[in-house]
Amino acid sequence: MNVLFVVPYPPSAVRVRSLQLIRGLVRRGHRVTVAAPWNGHSERADIERLAAEGVDVLTRRLPKVRSGWNCLCQLPGREPLQAAVSWHPGLAAAIHERLGSHHTDIVHVEHLRASQYALDLDSRSFPSGRPPIVWDAVDSISQLFSDTLCASRSGQGRWMARLDLERTRHIESTLPFRLERTVVSAEPDKAHVERLLRPVAVARGGSLPRVDVVPNGVDLDYFTPGDGAREPDTLVLSGKMSYHANETAALHLLRDVMPRVWRKRPAVRVAVVGRAPTETLRRLARREPERVTLTGFVPDIRPYLRRSAVSVVPVLYGAGTQLKLLEAMACGTPVISTSVGTRGLGLVPGLEVMVADDPAALADAILALLASPERRHRLGRAGRAYVERRQGWDRAVGLLESIYEDTLHASKPLQPGKAGFAARTAGTSQQAAKLCIDYVLAALLLLACAPLLALLAIVIKLDSAGPALHRRLVVGRGGCCFDAFKLRTMKSGQGEARPVPRESRETGEGGKAREDSRVTRVGRWLRRSSLDELPQLVNVLRGDMSLVGPRMMIPEELGRYGALGREVLTAKPGLTGLWQVSGRADLSLEERVRLDVESVRSFSLRRDLRILFVDTPVAVLTGRGAY
């Protein structure tokens, strides 16, 4: 096959997935052309090394100034800023020219950052038709951003996630409908992407796009166990330390875990190996110069993995596969990880890896492993056997090759469709008036309620630990998901948990438990008064919601609506609506569906105004179904 491999950065030992997949395809006899921008001497050298291996390369220099300008121009749009960072119109033109002059079987586009090249190709015309495009998203970046907002200790990381989260959800839930195949690196990422795609498929009346898993691997010939003795009191944590998830993991280890270890074993040393450690990490290292080493960039990480007694992977959030974990296991180094670090790998805890999540458990696992050379040896051997069995790059390349072959014989992708029934409500003067009322009234209410919201936030923080604001992923118009804001009413970290069995028996048909031990004291009052919904005025101003509309639902609830779900998704969910003023959680599922469909089919501005100014105040004061 002739493959055009589009990447947003030069493949290298750091960007190892694209490098290993390209090398593997070439070894199997395929002709690969790589298209990638570059900036700086090191990236230029990566391009030259790839060309020296016999790979055709299309490239353009992408200065940081152009990347910054791309992001600035992208701000008013809906596409992710990450996709703008790597965009170069000259490279896009070179790709188009190459496809016009050379036969190409498959175009492979890697990562969200290269998605704009995929969109550009899909919008162009080709005399003999556009070749099939496989988008290797690698990770679900929207899930990464969502976790970043909850768990990151990097202010810059949270700021970037907040700025790009909704844009990223938009591209992950729409681009797969325009392309032939989507690929990710792990099962959890596939599940999340499909969770975003499913409501859009319902809204469009089409099928779910195909999402496949091509796992990350490890170079088993490069990462091998060493012959030298290991240092019995040395831990290693590896990764690019300017990346917010790695910075958070390192801060968690040094601040929360190691003090517990040092109290019982003062001689333990930690090597944090990876380029560009942040100033926060540097300050922590300066406090413990004999115990903590920050290496910065190293040309070869293997010596650190081979001489350390234990590799620690204390990640609190992340996406895809933790390559740092696989590389340590390939070097025969025993690994202690959080459950997030092992997600999607199918590792056996206690046999192939040690898993611990809270600081005390991580410290205990480190102490136990350091105290037992025999156990470390056994765990290291089992880890090496695991990666040999399941994580070689040759297996990943074989899966990708089969996806290419299947794509070539498959039909064209589902073209973007329009949600049915949209013509019933769109384009009327009443809808225009409704939109004006939404924005004007939401702005006025938010301004008037700002002091109350600030006071409630303080009360929530005093009542229980955790943030005052809660984000909940819900389905919007057209099936696109967004975060709906609410004041937190549950104990922190339990917003997605199910009621305990005893309380499940007391749950109404609406789905909420009347007596739920997860709800805080203040939360119970907030739910009863409906004040927890006030932050959704922000969602109205952002255009995600309307003041009056169908009940908002999470993606998993959409299946309960059956064929009617497509109709409900033609309208924005409402802060209030027929369901909310008719009994809320006391209603049966059939009644809720009927009221939601009725609110869409028989839209009336007069009825909306009555719901807003008459029925909603009465429903709030009576509190029926609010628990």
Side-chain angles (χ1 to χ4, degrees):
M1 280 182 282
N2 293 318
V3 181
L4 177 61
F5 212 100
V6 183
V7 282
Y9 32 61
S12 67
V14 176
R15 282 89 176 233
V16 67
R17 180 177 174 90
S18 53
L19 180 65
Q20 292 294 343
L21 292 179
I22 290 166
R23 284 176 171 172
L25 290 170
V26 171
R27 281 196 300 269
R28 288 170 177 252
H30 303 293
R31 183 175 179 180
V32 181
T33 300
V34 174
W38 64 273
N39 180 52
H41 295 298
S42 63
E43 290 193 348
R44 179 64 181 174
D46 292 333
I47 289 286
E48 291 172 352
R49 276 192 290 271
L50 199 62
E53 294 180 19
V55 177
D56 292 337
V57 179
L58 305 175
T59 187
R60 293 291 186 278
R61 181 172 177 266
L62 182 64
K64 290 184 178 179
V65 173
R66 178 183 281 275
S67 293
W69 177 251
N70 288 346
C71 291
L72 190 63
C73 295
Q74 190 74 300
L75 278 174
R78 295 197 65 183
E79 306 306 328
L81 299 185
Q82 285 208 42
V85 168
S86 302
W87 171 254
H88 194 299
L91 182 60
I95 291 171
H96 187 249
E97 182 182 345
R98 177 79 181 197
L99 292 177
S101 60
H102 293 72
H103 172 71
T104 302
D105 296 299
I106 289 283
V107 177
H108 181 117
V109 178
E110 182 178 284
H111 206 270
L112 173 73
R113 289 192 175 189
S115 59
Q116 198 159 337
Y117 292 98
L119 288 168
D120 177 70
L121 287 175
D122 188 56
S123 66
R124 293 176 182 259
S125 60
F126 296 88
S128 56
R130 170 178 69 73
I133 299 176
V134 173
W135 179 39
D136 182 5
V138 185
D139 306 325
S140 173
I141 303 299
S142 66
Q143 181 62 53
L144 173 65
F145 283 161
S146 183
D147 292 344
T148 300
L149 290 174
C150 297
S152 180
R153 300 186 185 181
S154 166
Q156 182 181 0
R158 291 195 302 273
W159 182 81
M160 286 300 300
R162 191 172 290 111
L163 188 64
D164 233 16
L165 173 58
E166 296 301 334
R167 298 165 180 267
T168 304
R169 280 200 185 123
H170 169 71
I171 201 73
E172 287 185 350
S173 62
T174 56
L175 185 57
F177 286 93
R178 299 178 61 170
L179 309 179
E180 279 73 12
R181 194 69 69 90
T182 300
V183 170
V184 292
S185 63
E187 287 292 343
D189 296 83
K190 175 184 176 180
H192 184 74
V193 170
E194 288 183 338
R195 188 187 187 206
L196 296 178
L197 291 172
R198 198 165 286 112
V200 181
V202 171
R204 295 179 174 186
S207 58
L208 195 68
R210 178 84 175 267
V211 181
D212 295 289
V213 175
V214 174
N216 281 323
V218 62
D219 189 337
L220 298 172
D221 296 324
Y222 184 80
F223 290 97
T224 58
D227 298 325
R230 294 183 180 270
E231 299 173 1
D233 279 322
T234 300
L235 309 178
V236 63
L237 167 61
S238 62
K240 181 183 175 183
M241 288 301 145
S242 60
Y243 173 46
H244 52 85
N246 287 336
E247 180 193 9
T248 297
L251 291 174
H252 178 51
L253 177 65
L254 297 178
R255 285 176 175 171
D256 305 331
V257 180
M258 291 313 299
R260 300 169 187 266
V261 174
W262 286 326
R263 280 197 292 269
K264 296 184 177 180
R265 198 159 178 150
V268 175
R269 297 181 302 277
V270 180
V272 180
V273 184
R275 58 184 287 195
T278 62
E279 182 55 34
T280 305
L281 284 174
R282 292 181 186 277
R283 283 198 301 269
L284 274 177
R286 284 195 291 266
R287 293 176 192 171
E288 298 285 353
E290 302 299 321
R291 292 170 166 171
V292 179
T293 301
L294 296 183
T295 67
F297 170 77
V298 295
D300 190 349
I301 196 175
R302 292 175 297 175
Y304 296 90
L305 296 175
R306 287 167 176 166
R307 67 171 173 251
S308 296
V310 176
S311 173
V312 188
V313 187
V315 292
L316 298 178
Y317 66 96
T321 307
Q322 297 297 321
L323 288 172
K324 60 176 71 64
L325 181 146
L326 298 179
E327 290 169 355
M329 295 175 80
C331 288
T333 307
V335 176
I336 298 173
S337 173
T338 57
S339 55
V340 173
T342 63
R343 192 165 51 193
L345 290 174
L347 287 161
V348 181
L351 178 63
E352 296 163 328
V353 65
M354 290 188 70
V355 178
D357 285 312
D358 62 83
L362 278 167
D364 289 344
I366 291 170
L367 289 167
L369 212 50
L370 290 178
S372 176
E374 182 183 346
R375 191 176 182 186
R376 292 201 304 270
H377 179 70
R378 188 167 60 246
L379 201 64
R381 288 184 61 185
R384 173 69 192 189
Y386 166 83
V387 294
E388 287 178 350
R389 188 172 64 252
R390 295 188 53 176
Q391 298 296 149
W393 277 115
D394 192 58
R395 174 173 176 263
V397 174
L399 288 171
L400 182 62
E401 188 179 46
S402 65
I403 288 170
Y404 287 171
E405 292 171 351
D406 186 45
T407 302
L408 286 172
H409 295 93
S411 59
K412 289 293 182 183
L414 174 68
Q415 294 301 314
K418 296 182 179 179
F421 313 103
R424 291 179 176 169
T425 61
T428 67
S429 58
Q430 287 197 55
Q431 282 290 325
K434 175 182 172 68
L435 191 63
C436 291
I437 292 170
D438 278 346
Y439 284 120
V440 173
L441 194 55
L444 293 175
L445 285 172
L446 191 60
L447 188 63
C449 294
L452 175 61
L453 283 168
L455 178 62
L456 291 174
I458 293 171
V459 173
I460 291 168
K461 297 284 285 185
L462 291 174
D463 179 59
S464 61
L469 202 63
H470 174 66
R471 293 167 172 263
R472 187 187 191 202
L473 185 69
V474 299
V475 183
R477 183 168 60 182
C480 292
C481 295
F482 65 92
D483 277 336
F485 303 116
K486 293 183 69 173
L487 292 174
R488 181 173 58 84
T489 59
M490 287 187 174
K491 297 169 186 175
S492 184
Q494 299 190 21
E496 298 297 328
R498 294 175 180 267
V500 296
R502 179 184 64 83
E503 293 165 338
S504 296
R505 292 194 295 269
E506 300 171 2
T507 299
E509 289 189 82
K512 285 187 177 180
R514 293 183 175 88
E515 296 295 333
D516 192 336
S517 61
R518 300 170 301 163
V519 179
T520 63
R521 291 174 301 170
V522 171
R524 200 164 284 114
W525 174 75
L526 287 172
R527 288 188 174 193
R528 187 74 179 173
S529 63
S530 297
L531 290 174
D532 60 322
E533 312 283 352
L534 282 178
Q536 288 169 21
L537 291 169
V538 175
N539 289 114
V540 176
L541 290 175
R542 291 173 59 174
D544 299 324
M545 296 180 65
S546 177
L547 290 175
V548 181
R551 171 183 174 269
M552 67 178 182
M553 66 184 95
I554 62 175
E556 289 73 18
E557 289 181 291
L558 187 57
R560 301 177 183 178
Y561 283 70
L564 297 173
R566 185 183 179 195
E567 191 166 357
V568 173
L569 293 180
T570 63
K572 296 178 183 178
L575 195 151
T576 186
L578 281 176
W579 175 82
Q580 289 89 333
V581 301
S582 303
R584 286 190 271 193
D586 286 341
L587 297 175
S588 67
L589 173 62
E590 291 75 15
E591 289 172 313
R592 285 162 42 210
V593 173
R594 178 182 62 79
L595 291 172
D596 282 343
V597 173
E598 182 183 338
S599 70
V600 175
R601 285 180 176 174
S602 57
F603 166 72
S604 163
L605 185 59
R606 179 177 296 180
R607 185 185 64 190
D608 277 12
L609 293 174
R610 176 179 175 81
I611 289 173
L612 198 57
F613 294 108
V614 179
D615 297 340
T616 297
V618 171
V620 170
L621 291 173
T622 59
R624 181 188 169 196
Y627 43 79

